[in-house]
Amino acid sequence: MMRLHSTVVATCLTAVTALSACGGSAPATLFPSLGADVVVFQAKGSRFVTDIVHVPRDKAWTLALDNQDGLPHNVVILDRDNTSVFASAVFTGSALKTEPAPALPAGDYHFTCAVHPDMKGTLTVP
Ligand SMILES: [Cu+2]
């Protein structure tokens, strides 16, 4: 667990450095420097700004949570049956953290925040 934590922090520092290089603003094309397998979830004002998210099928990917609130958020992905298939680490913003996410079979999913169940979004795997 300690090793995973260090990896997340190191990745985060890289992301923050990349952000600074971009002038700190978040353009429509989010964080191109993060890599092709990165899917960004942006939380602001206790809602997911990115409330419709697409993830590639049957392929491991990287979840990036851009938490712009001074509140703890995470991303919990649930399948059709409301079964949690993945929950990312909870952290307080403003910060951006990435972590590995598992390959998902095709289907319709939704996501929420473990701390704020009112935060909702739709995730599709084509
Ligand atoms: Cu939250």
Side-chain angles (χ1 to χ4, degrees):
M1 281 319 251
M2 282 307 289
R3 233 179 57 181
L4 176 63
H5 181 70
S6 304
T7 306
V8 169
V9 170
T11 311
C12 179
L13 288 176
T14 307
V16 169
T17 307
L19 274 179
S20 307
C22 296
S25 63
T29 48
L30 286 165
F31 320 119
S33 58
L34 283 179
D37 71 331
V38 173
V39 179
V40 176
F41 296 69
Q42 190 175 67
K44 189 176 186 180
S46 286
R47 52 182 283 269
F48 285 112
V49 179
T50 45
D51 61 349
I52 299 175
V53 173
H54 306 281
V55 169
R57 184 197 333 153
D58 296 330
K59 212 176 133 196
W61 51 288
T62 301
L63 183 150
L65 175 57
D66 176 21
N67 180 359
Q68 299 193 359
D69 291 334
L71 295 166
H73 296 311
N74 79 336
V75 176
V76 181
I77 300 174
L78 304 136
D79 68 13
R80 262 174 196 274
D81 301 323
N82 260 352
T83 301
S84 171
V85 295
F86 180 70
S88 70
V90 176
F91 66 91
T92 299
S94 295
L96 186 150
K97 293 191 183 186
T98 64
E99 65 183 278
L104 297 171
D108 296 324
Y109 301 81
H110 55 284
F111 59 92
T112 185
C113 166
V115 185
H116 306 101
D118 285 347
M119 294 175 65
K120 285 174 185 161
T122 302
L123 185 150
T124 56
V125 182

